[in-house]
Amino acid sequence: AQTVTQSQPEMSVQEAETVTLSCTYDTSESDYYLFWYKQPPSRQMILVIRQEAYKQQNATENRFSVNFQKAAKSFSLKISDSQLGDAAMYFCAYRRRSGGGADGLTFGKGTHLIIQP
Amino acid sequence: KAGVTQTPRYLIKTRGQQVTLSCSPISGHRSVSWYQQTPGQGLQFLFEYFSETQRNKGNFPGRFSGRQFSNSRSEMNVSTLELGDSALYLCASSLDASGTGELFFGEGSRLTVL
């Protein structure tokens, strides 16, 4: 079974600074997707960024970028120029591609990101 | 464009009862999946439906079931409720079931079992 590990239950960063959230995963598959989701307090979860395993280039979305190390099974999220609105729980997730579709998402336990003004 | 709508938002049940939760996906989305979120176990995949067919199922007992209607709306049912079923139940929709698309989540239904 696939597992996703987020080793940092909580991280704190000063506004405008850069922070990196860690994620490792375990799988024997070669075709899969990786995601970072953000869940603000009492609000719905939204997709931050996604990476397809066969793409070597790291995904970027504005201030958010990932460092995808397939051999090491590592998928960290870097947030540049942190803003107060970035405060949330961040979940790393894995999704195996199977046949014509995909399995459900496997989530890590999450990292609570605190932004200090 | 309306987002994913889940009803009810909050509900309280007692052990042994059953509950039905509803999810209306974003218009045009044909895939609906359900997740359970608890402080102890985190987010766990329950099941996924596409075009009224269950495509995937997580590791939950048979007390947890679901279905999808022709308009893509989905319901999940939990029978013989246990204290451990207290959780936030999240529904997510996507255009298709390929796995490449973004999942759009609802705000969830918070179930408390007493």
Side-chain angles (χ1 to χ4, degrees):
Chain A
Q2 300 85 13
T3 58
V4 177
T5 302
Q6 294 179 248
S7 58
Q8 307 150 315
E10 187 172 279
M11 292 281 286
S12 181
V13 64
Q14 291 288 131
E15 197 176 359
E17 302 268 301
T18 295
V19 64
T20 298
L21 309 184
S22 301
C23 172
T24 58
Y25 58 95
D26 186 25
T27 183
S28 58
E29 304 293 330
S30 59
D31 194 3
Y32 54 87
Y33 311 96
L34 295 165
F35 307 86
W36 279 98
Y37 277 89
K38 168 186 177 182
Q39 188 177 39
S42 301
R43 297 183 63 184
Q44 62 253 66
M45 192 137 51
I46 58 173
L47 177 68
V48 175
I49 199 166
R50 69 179 152 214
Q51 175 82 41
E52 295 177 63
Y54 67 86
K55 289 185 177 178
Q56 292 189 331
Q57 186 172 6
N58 289 324
T60 62
E61 288 288 341
N62 301 314
R63 299 183 294 108
F64 299 87
S65 62
V66 298
N67 182 3
F68 174 45
Q69 302 289 326
K70 190 172 184 178
K73 296 178 184 175
S74 170
F75 183 61
S76 61
L77 173 70
K78 185 172 84 171
I79 305 174
S80 304
D81 185 25
S82 298
Q83 300 175 1
L84 294 178
D86 295 333
M89 282 293 289
Y90 285 81
F91 293 96
C92 178
Y94 163 99
R95 189 170 197 182
R96 182 179 73 112
R97 186 161 186 174
S98 59
D103 292 346
L105 288 168
T106 299
F107 284 93
K109 293 290 189 186
T111 296
H112 181 210
L113 179 63
I114 299 167
I115 310 294
Q116 305 277 5
Chain B
K1 193 166 170 180
V4 177
T5 304
Q6 292 188 244
T7 56
R9 291 290 314 283
Y10 302 91
L11 66 166
I12 299 173
K13 293 286 187 179
T14 57
R15 278 181 298 174
Q17 287 187 310
Q18 67 94 26
V19 65
T20 299
L21 309 178
S22 179
C23 172
S24 293
I26 291 172
S27 177
H29 286 195
R30 297 170 62 194
S31 176
V32 173
S33 50
W34 290 87
Y35 292 83
Q36 182 195 65
Q37 186 174 23
T38 61
Q41 298 299 316
L43 282 150
Q44 294 184 283
F45 171 68
L46 281 156
F47 24 66
E48 179 182 19
Y49 289 87
F50 180 75
S51 293
E52 302 179 66
T53 301
Q54 186 180 89
R55 290 177 59 93
N56 290 297
K57 189 176 191 304
N59 189 25
F60 277 81
R63 300 186 296 107
F64 292 81
S65 63
R67 58 178 175 170
Q68 186 180 34
F69 303 95
S70 58
N71 62 358
S72 294
R73 191 177 70 84
S74 177
E75 287 181 348
M76 68 162 283
N77 184 274
V78 187
S79 63
T80 318
L81 284 166
E82 301 176 359
L83 295 178
D85 297 332
S86 294
L88 181 66
Y89 290 88
L90 296 172
C91 169
S93 75
S94 62
L95 274 172
D96 56 42
S98 68
T100 60
E102 178 177 354
L103 288 186
F104 293 83
F105 283 84
E107 292 183 302
S109 291
R110 185 166 295 281
L111 170 66
T112 301
V113 181
L114 302 177

